[in-house]
Amino acid sequence: MIASYIDHTLLAPDASARAIETLCEEAKTYHFATVCVAPYRVRQAAQALAGSGVGVTTVVGFPHGANGGPMKAAEASWALAQGATEIDMVQNIGAVKDGAWDMVAKEIRQVRAAIGDVTLKVILETALLTPTEIVNACKLAQEVGADFVKTSTGFAGAGATVANVKLMRDTVGPHFGVKAAGGIRDFATARAMLDAGANRLGVSAGVAIARAENAESK
């Protein structure tokens, strides 16, 4: 079932407590992998999902990745204390563009040290990177202890593409995590991302996608 691959996402800055409540109820109904919410909403989501088997993902250094590694590590640590079960951190995109790979690696290591063995996804923001930068960022995230590479925040004007997901999967091999996020609004696109190599999907249209799969299977 496609639902098991979905991080049911609501990161809009104006998302209300009621909207988060609805998100969590939907996640329980459709058995999504996690909900993905802003740090401020983690405690509410964790309480709403307690005992359900649905995890709570939150974002760190979001959406531009421009704050320092110690701040990202502190943010991640605080999120875990609120009940987060997975962390999606935005890599230092400016450092990538500078070719400052040591800085990028240092920040990922700092977040990893802060969260222990909790699942860590590194958001590359592929729309802002060249193919070579995507490959190098994937290799680096893998080398320094992340669990996933993720295409996008959804806030950079463009999201996941099949081509970039395939490039990421080809780079990291068959056993590392690849999360496609941004612009995945229907079942056909979600299926295409999985076929390209994604094994997690960040979507705000999770209910529509799950319903479409259910309708197709009848």
Side-chain angles (χ1 to χ4, degrees):
M1 297 292 290
I2 203 166
S4 65
Y5 295 95
I6 287 176
D7 290 343
H8 192 38
T9 301
L10 181 54
L11 292 170
D14 59 346
S16 65
R18 176 58 183 155
I20 299 300
E21 180 182 336
T22 299
L23 186 84
C24 293
E25 289 303 313
E26 291 169 345
K28 289 189 285 188
T29 297
Y30 291 94
H31 306 290
F32 294 131
T34 78
V35 298
C36 183
V37 297
Y40 172 63
R41 298 298 184 184
V42 166
R43 181 178 290 276
Q44 179 191 354
Q47 291 173 344
L49 293 168
S52 70
V54 178
V56 179
T57 296
T58 196
V59 289
V60 166
F62 192 85
H64 302 305
N67 48 338
M71 295 301 295
K72 292 177 182 177
E75 187 177 6
S77 181
W78 182 84
L80 293 191
Q82 303 305 301
T85 60
E86 300 189 6
I87 298 294
D88 289 14
M89 69 167 287
V90 186
Q91 72 174 356
N92 191 322
I93 302 163
V96 170
K97 302 307 288 189
D98 290 341
W101 294 105
D102 287 347
M103 176 62 71
V104 179
K106 182 179 180 180
E107 291 190 357
I108 297 172
R109 289 192 182 104
Q110 287 171 320
V111 174
R112 168 53 76 200
I115 68 173
D117 61 1
V118 169
T119 296
L120 175 61
K121 311 184 198 90
V122 176
I123 305 173
L124 308 187
E125 203 67 281
T126 51
L128 304 181
L129 306 182
T130 67
T132 297
E133 288 167 342
I134 292 170
V135 169
N136 289 340
C138 285
K139 289 179 177 178
L140 183 66
Q142 192 172 30
E143 288 169 2
V144 301
D147 301 295
F148 278 78
V149 283
K150 175 179 172 181
T151 59
S152 320
T153 63
F155 287 79
T161 67
V162 166
N164 282 338
V165 169
K166 186 176 187 304
L167 177 61
M168 292 161 71
R169 173 55 66 202
D170 289 345
T171 300
V172 300
H175 304 301
F176 196 75
V178 174
K179 178 175 174 178
I184 304 170
R185 299 185 178 91
D186 55 51
F187 175 66
T189 304
R191 184 75 260 172
M193 295 299 173
L194 294 176
D195 290 344
N199 57 341
R200 192 73 69 88
L201 303 172
V203 299
S204 58
V207 171
I209 290 168
R211 286 176 174 171
E213 182 185 43
N214 290 341
E216 185 175 278
S217 65
K218 290 180 179 178

